[in-house]
Each structure stands twice: as C-alpha cells, then as structure tokens.
Amino acid sequence: MVLATGNPGKLSEIRAILAPYHWAVHAQSEWDVSEAAEDGLSFVENALIKARHAARHTGLPALGDDSGLVVAALQGRPGIRSARFAGPAASPVDNNRKLLAALENVSGKGRGAHFYCAMALLRHAEDPAPMIATGIWHGEILRSPTGSGGFGYDPLFYVPGQGCSAAELAPGIKNRLSHRAKALAALVDQMLREYSA
C-alpha cells in the first residue's frame, strides 16, 4: 500500500508497527505524488482526502493518516493545523515555541492535551466504503522541550504513565502507546477480518 504522507517520522512509525504483518508500505514520494490539499474540517476528512489523492495517482490501495495535538485550553488548537500552527512554512521548533507561548499563563489541569489520529484505508481511489479508525493519546504539555526522539510536539508532550515526554520514550514503547499505534491497531483488526473472511 502507499502511505499518503511526506512525513518521514510517520512513515517510520507506521512501517515499524506493521512489520509483523509483512505488509509493504511505500511513501507516496516514490511515485512523485504531490501533497494533497488538506482542506477538510476534521482529522477524518483530511485522512480521506490524502488517501484518495494518493490512490488516484498511484493506482494502489492508500493509507491516509491525519493527526495532531488537541489542547482544551486553546479550544482544540492546534488541531488539524498542528503541522502549520506557526505558519505555512513553520518548523517543529516554531510550532513548539508558539504552543509554549500560548500556554504561558496556563497551569495545572489546564495544560492537559491529547494527540488524535485518524486513519483511512482506501482499496482504490473510488472506494465508497473506506476503512476508518481513530486513536487518542492523553497527556500534558510541559513548560519546556525534553528529549531528542520522536518528532513534532513529542518533546513537549508529557506521558503521565511513563513519567517522561514522548520524545524520551523508546520507539518500541511509543509504538505501543501512541495515538497512531492505537488507530493503526484498530485498522489492522478491520483489515484482518476483511481479508481472512
């Protein structure tokens, strides 16, 4: 299948999680597929848009992933604009700085947040009944970045059950706990049921 993303971190995580199933996952860049216009109003809509775009351009089953950070104190922002929170050409460092500035005067439970992931698998570009799965990972926003692993907001996302940031987790642990891992596990369950029927 083709993964509808240009994010190498997502590709690496998804390949690692799917490795036991021996499914070949290729980045859409291998076919020079451009990034889709993410103009949906929800993670699910954007996952579908990306998957349909990749399937249309490659002729292969396509997996779309749209995920981001949801902070209650910011009315759900950065949400579907997580990768562009600080602007269209923002780097992860820029986004993290903007998030910290926005939460500067927020403390305690107000710093609660969760990562949300929506995944959509289209068997072909015109698939009218795509497989859809979601996952949520609860945590808190730290006051400064910690750790060098992961990507995106991971250095600011504190995982209470682990006592560290997502960027300090070993990849194998993160790939069991994360929003993406949960969504992908639910999607794999749907795929296995369909293809073993």
Side-chain angles (χ1 to χ4, degrees):
M1 70 181 76
V2 60
L3 180 61
T5 186
N7 185 320
K10 284 185 180 182
L11 178 62
S12 177
E13 283 188 5
I14 289 171
R15 278 181 170 164
I17 294 167
L18 290 179
Y21 302 98
H22 308 290
W23 289 329
V25 181
H26 297 273
Q28 65 181 13
S29 59
E30 293 181 34
W31 289 267
D32 295 320
V33 177
S34 62
E35 295 289 325
E38 297 178 46
D39 52 7
L41 299 178
S42 69
F43 291 109
V44 171
E45 287 176 274
N46 283 336
L48 283 166
I49 288 167
K50 290 194 270 191
R52 203 168 300 282
H53 179 76
R56 191 168 284 133
H57 285 83
T58 64
L60 295 171
L63 177 62
D65 165 306
D66 198 47
S67 50
L69 184 67
V70 178
V71 182
L74 301 179
Q75 293 76 49
R77 288 181 293 127
I80 59 171
R81 292 176 180 80
S82 290
R84 304 173 300 282
F85 189 42
S91 71
V93 171
D94 296 332
N95 290 328
N96 284 334
R97 284 183 182 145
K98 181 170 181 175
L99 179 62
L100 288 175
L103 293 174
E104 185 176 2
N105 298 317
V106 178
S107 59
K109 291 184 178 178
R111 297 184 76 84
H114 65 269
F115 276 121
Y116 185 94
C117 175
M119 289 194 166
L121 177 67
L122 273 70
R123 300 159 192 85
H124 53 84
E126 307 306 321
D127 190 344
M131 295 183 194
I132 297 172
T134 62
I136 295 177
W137 192 16
H138 292 282
E140 302 164 15
I141 303 303
L142 295 165
R143 291 198 171 271
S144 60
T146 307
S148 58
F151 59 96
Y153 295 95
D154 286 356
L156 292 180
F157 189 76
Y158 179 75
V159 186
Q162 299 294 311
C164 65
S165 77
E168 295 175 289
L169 291 174
I173 294 174
K174 183 184 177 190
N175 288 342
R176 286 199 321 268
L177 301 176
S178 78
H179 53 308
R180 189 164 294 108
K182 292 172 184 176
L184 200 49
L187 194 66
V188 165
D189 187 54
Q190 292 181 52
M191 292 165 71
L192 291 173
R193 284 201 309 270
E194 174 166 313
Y195 293 115
S196 63

